[in-house]
């Protein structure tokens, strides 16, 4: 029976289009991994830039850790972005399928056209969003594969329409689902293994310097990075061992060097920069605008510094405060060459982030290209980030690419959203660990006051009535030389052991900074200028 009426649209077309969209996203992930070339990344960046400030602030602070899940707000944003990217690719697939049917009916050439059109449409959309046409090819392949198998499955059972069409529709759907599943699994496996390839390359160069092939094929910039950091393993190892030795021992309390460094980013998908393609330009009100390649920068010096970072959104009892040994160059070296004339600086980064602060703070700053004895990890700003002593984490710009000297103040990314997080950190003593030692109890935590330093930590075991001095860890070494000086911007640990009163009681902690100022008692949330108040914990009988 030949059909002369216009071809009926198969009932399952919207579902096949949806499956093609899912497969296209999976295909994109297969080649791009979790990098900005992944089709979800531009959608996510768009969401971050357009969500109302209040929603973003809510996501970062309130949802920062929600239901025990770290970065819950960001995960929500990511899920939304995945959904939107899938919807977009499904929509263009649907248009492609309808167009093929409209112009070719249910002929074999129409089926072929639908495969080609869906492939082209998903590829073009992904390329348009990411700006990476070659890496987007797999998105088109994923979409096309689903339609190809679906059409093939529909065509194999028999040629007639009418009674057979329901069976054909079912086969089309099954073929589509199976292919989407296959593309999804392969995409996931390929994408996760290609993830962060650039950083992985420099790490492996670092650990295998004797492998001439690896060194040869690695970029010269990566080689320098690895060499600079690994040249003096003994120095780094010595400092790390010293930090270990100075750490106080309380069950469950992290040492003076963090094993799980917190991470705060405006985007879920971090930049994936190559050291040999990176450069830092110094612009604006300077006598000599200059630009530095990675090789040039790392050739300017290799110093090690223990530095603590704390996010302005960290609650008094939060976990957004950590310390590591960073390797890099003092920013003053660069400032001597460019001779800044302005009063402020704007640091800009590859993820579109920007933060502004006074030039005086910049003068004391550090450009880190190593962390914990290895290259700077991707999530912490690979290949280079700023470390500004004593200031909230947000001006410690990662993936930094431009340093613009300004003649006056301007607002940074978070300040445009109402935060005041460019200044010095608040003083804090955290109460993060406790253990029972037959009849006694030991409590402990970290205390940090930026460059003011921690002078004293006091503990009350009766809810703030009476106070006693806690034991403080020795200050971390400066790291720049063997002079025995202390790190200027690092936390200390404190512990206190007392006889358990045998009834419910509340332990309260407060720190005193190097200027003699006691951590303020009034409780304020993190927004807009950092949490205040004393950490406290009630222990049951
Ligand atoms: N480029 C860039 N730099 C950035 C951020 C960012 O989102 N993008 N987040 C900032 C914030 S809010 C903090 S608290 C610190 C956190 O540094 P970490 O992720 O290495 O711990 O990085 C800062 N630098
Ligand atoms: Mo932050």
């Amino acid at each position: 029976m030949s059909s002369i009426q216009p071809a009926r649209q198969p009932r399952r077309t919207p579902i096949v289009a949806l499956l093609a969209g899912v497969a296209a996203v999976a295909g994109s992930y297969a080649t791009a991994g979790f990098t900005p070339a992944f089709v979800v990344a531009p959608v996510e960046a768009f969401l971050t830039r357009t969500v109302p400030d209040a929603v973003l602030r809510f996501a970062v602070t309130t949802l920062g850790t929600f239901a025990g899940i770290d970065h819950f707000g960001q995960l929500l944003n990511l899920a939304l972005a995945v959904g939107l990217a899938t919807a977009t690719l499904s929509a263009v697939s649907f248009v492609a399928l309808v167009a093929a049917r409209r112009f070719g009916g249910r002929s074999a050439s129409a089926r072929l056209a639908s495969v080609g059109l869906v492939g082209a449409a998903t590829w073009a959309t992904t390329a348009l969003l990411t700006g990476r046409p070659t890496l987007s090819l797999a998105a088109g392949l994923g979409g096309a594969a689903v339609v190809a198998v679906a059409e093939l499955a529909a065509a194999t059972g028999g040629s007639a329409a009418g009674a057979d069409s329901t069976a054909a529709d079912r086969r089309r759907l099954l073929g589509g689902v199976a292919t989407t599943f296959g593309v999804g699994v392969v995409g996931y496996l390929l994408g996760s293994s290609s993830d962060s390839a650039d950083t992985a390359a420099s790490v492996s160069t670092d650990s295998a310097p004797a492998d001439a092939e690896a060194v040869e094929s690695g970029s010269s910039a990566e080689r320098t990075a690895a060499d600079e950091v690994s040249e003096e393993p003994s120095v780094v190892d010595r400092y790390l061992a010293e930090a270990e030795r100075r750490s106080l021992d309380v069950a469950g309390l992290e040492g003076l060097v963090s094993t799980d460094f917190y991470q705060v980013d405006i985007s879920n998908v971090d930049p994936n920069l190559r050291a040999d393609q990176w450069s830092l330009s110094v612009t604006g009100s300077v006598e000599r605008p200059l630009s530095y390649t990675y090789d040039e920068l790392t050739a300017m010096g290799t110093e090690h510094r223990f530095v603590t970072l704390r996010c302005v959104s960290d609650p008094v009892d939060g976990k957004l405060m950590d310390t590591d040994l960073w390797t890099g160059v003092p920013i003053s070296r660069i400032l001597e060459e460019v001779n800044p004339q302005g009063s402020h600086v704007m640091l800009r980064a590859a993820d579109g982030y920007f933060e502004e602060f006074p030039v005086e703070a910049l003068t004391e700053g550090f450009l880190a290209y190593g962390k914990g004895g290895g290259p700077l990890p991707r999530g912490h700003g690979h290949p280079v980030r700023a470390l500004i002593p004593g200031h909230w984490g947000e001006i410690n710009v990662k993936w930094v690419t431009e340093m613009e000297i300004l003649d006056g103040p301007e607002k940074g990314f978070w300040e445009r959203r109402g935060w005041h997080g460019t200044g010095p950190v608040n003083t804090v003593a955290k109460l993060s660990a406790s253990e029972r030692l037959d009849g006694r109890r030991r409590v402990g935590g970290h205390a940090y006051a930026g460059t003011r330093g921690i002078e004293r930590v006091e503990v009350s075991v009766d809810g703030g009535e009476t106070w006693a001095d806690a034991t403080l860890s020795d200050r971390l070494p400066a790291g720049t030389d063997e002079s025995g000086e202390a790190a200027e911007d690092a936390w200390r640990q404190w512990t206190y052991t007392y006889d358990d009163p045998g009834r419910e009681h509340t332990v309260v902690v407060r720190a005193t900074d190097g200027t003699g100022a006691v951590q303020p008692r009034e409780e304020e949330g993190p927004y807009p200028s950092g949490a205040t108040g004393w950490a406290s914990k009630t222990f049951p009988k």
Side-chain angles (χ1 to χ4, degrees):
M1 186 171 89
S2 65
S3 160
I4 45 163
Q5 75 261 53
R8 178 183 65 84
Q9 191 64 43
R11 263 173 295 148
R12 301 273 158 66
T13 298
I15 303 184
V16 172
L18 177 68
L19 293 170
V22 172
V25 170
S28 170
Y29 184 70
T31 41
F34 210 56
T35 69
F38 180 31
V39 65
V40 168
V43 177
E44 207 252 343
F46 172 77
L47 284 177
T48 305
R49 244 137 266 164
T50 46
V51 283
D53 299 345
V55 175
L56 187 61
R57 188 193 322 143
F58 178 73
V60 170
T61 55
T62 314
L63 296 180
T65 302
F66 180 73
I69 306 170
D70 279 348
H71 305 299
F72 184 83
Q74 279 198 311
L75 282 178
L76 220 61
N77 197 34
L78 181 62
L80 202 64
V82 171
L84 261 179
T86 309
T88 305
L89 291 171
S90 299
V92 300
S93 299
F94 183 74
V95 172
L97 287 172
V98 170
R101 183 71 61 175
R102 170 80 43 91
F103 298 114
R106 48 180 67 250
S107 60
S109 59
R111 293 188 196 277
L112 209 64
S114 68
V115 174
L117 278 180
V118 167
T122 46
W123 164 75
T125 308
T126 307
L128 216 68
L129 284 170
T130 61
R132 305 293 293 271
T134 318
L135 281 174
S136 302
L137 283 172
L141 272 180
V146 167
V147 177
V149 176
E151 291 299 339
L152 208 65
T156 45
S159 52
D164 270 353
S165 73
T166 318
D169 279 349
R170 197 179 310 126
R171 286 193 303 274
R172 169 182 286 113
L173 187 62
L174 276 177
V177 168
T179 313
T180 305
F181 184 75
V183 172
V185 170
V186 171
Y188 175 77
L189 292 177
L190 285 179
S192 341
S193 62
S194 74
D195 190 18
S196 182
D198 294 346
T199 316
S202 49
V203 171
S204 66
T205 309
D206 182 29
S207 61
D211 186 341
E213 280 292 313
V215 173
E216 225 20 71
S217 63
S219 70
S220 61
E222 277 169 356
R223 227 180 304 149
T224 313
D227 290 350
E228 293 284 4
V229 177
S230 65
E231 212 166 60
E232 315 170 71
S234 56
V235 177
V236 169
D237 287 351
R238 213 154 359 105
Y239 282 122
L240 291 174
E242 189 56 29
E244 177 84 35
R245 204 185 59 74
R246 296 185 189 188
S247 296
L248 300 177
D249 190 29
V250 180
L253 183 63
E254 251 192 326
L256 284 169
V257 170
S258 303
T259 46
D260 186 18
F261 207 103
Y262 85 90
Q263 205 180 315
V264 174
D265 307 320
I266 55 166
S267 319
N268 272 286
V269 187
D270 290 335
N272 194 19
L273 305 181
R274 292 182 52 129
D276 61 345
Q277 286 165 5
W278 173 91
S279 69
L280 172 71
S281 47
V282 190
T283 60
S285 290
V286 292
E287 201 179 300
R288 273 177 304 276
L290 283 173
S291 179
Y292 298 84
T293 65
Y294 186 76
D295 280 347
E296 288 165 349
L297 184 84
T298 52
M300 294 174 85
T302 303
E303 291 184 14
H304 311 286
R305 291 187 185 182
F306 284 106
V307 173
T308 300
L309 287 185
R310 185 183 180 206
C311 185
V312 67
S313 73
D314 183 38
V316 166
D317 62 355
K319 291 189 164 67
L320 302 180
M321 177 167 100
D322 280 298
T323 301
D324 209 335
L325 182 63
W326 308 82
T327 302
V329 193
I331 293 179
S332 56
R333 302 270 167 81
I334 287 178
L335 298 184
E336 283 157 18
E337 295 183 0
V338 302
N339 195 10
Q341 310 290 309
S343 56
H344 290 71
V345 61
M346 182 74 83
L347 297 185
R348 298 182 203 278
D351 59 347
Y353 187 73
F354 52 95
E355 279 297 345
E356 171 268 13
F357 52 96
V359 161
E360 293 91 78
L362 185 71
T363 313
E364 306 297 315
F366 196 59
L367 285 176
Y369 51 82
K371 175 176 178 287
L376 193 61
R378 178 179 163 200
H380 295 288
H382 182 81
V384 176
R385 79 172 303 164
L387 293 175
I388 310 298
H391 288 66
W392 292 113
E394 60 167 62
I395 65 168
N396 293 252
V397 175
K398 308 189 273 190
W399 312 288
V400 61
T401 54
E402 188 190 346
M403 202 185 271
E404 185 192 356
I405 306 296
L406 308 170
D407 291 322
E410 259 178 48
K411 281 189 171 171
F413 182 92
W414 287 115
E415 283 52 52
R416 287 199 189 174
R417 288 159 176 79
W419 288 88
H420 299 289
T422 64
V425 293
N426 295 348
T427 299
V428 72
K430 291 180 184 273
L431 203 183
S432 7
S434 70
E435 63 179 318
R436 296 184 92 144
L437 317 149
D438 52 359
R440 310 204 77 199
R441 203 182 266 278
R442 178 173 292 162
V443 286
H446 294 91
Y448 177 56
T451 48
R452 297 184 303 279
I454 289 292
E455 205 52 54
R456 180 184 196 192
V457 170
E458 293 165 281
V459 181
S460 166
V461 300
D462 53 14
E465 296 284 315
T466 58
W467 296 85
D469 277 310
T471 304
L472 282 175
S473 63
D474 286 341
R475 294 173 207 275
L476 281 164
T480 42
D481 50 35
E482 308 287 311
S483 65
E485 276 173 42
E488 62 153 350
D489 180 30
W491 64 14
R492 299 175 79 173
Q493 282 172 309
W494 65 268
T495 66
Y496 183 70
T497 310
Y498 61 97
D499 292 329
D500 198 313
R503 57 184 144 72
E504 184 182 281
H505 62 286
T506 299
V507 177
V508 191
V509 199
R510 66 182 185 200
T512 301
D513 71 16
T515 71
V518 179
Q519 180 178 342
R521 177 177 204 166
E522 311 82 68
E523 292 182 9
E524 289 286 350
Y527 185 81
S529 41
T532 63
W534 296 339
S536 78
K537 196 168 175 171
T538 300
F539 293 97
K541 186 172 181 294

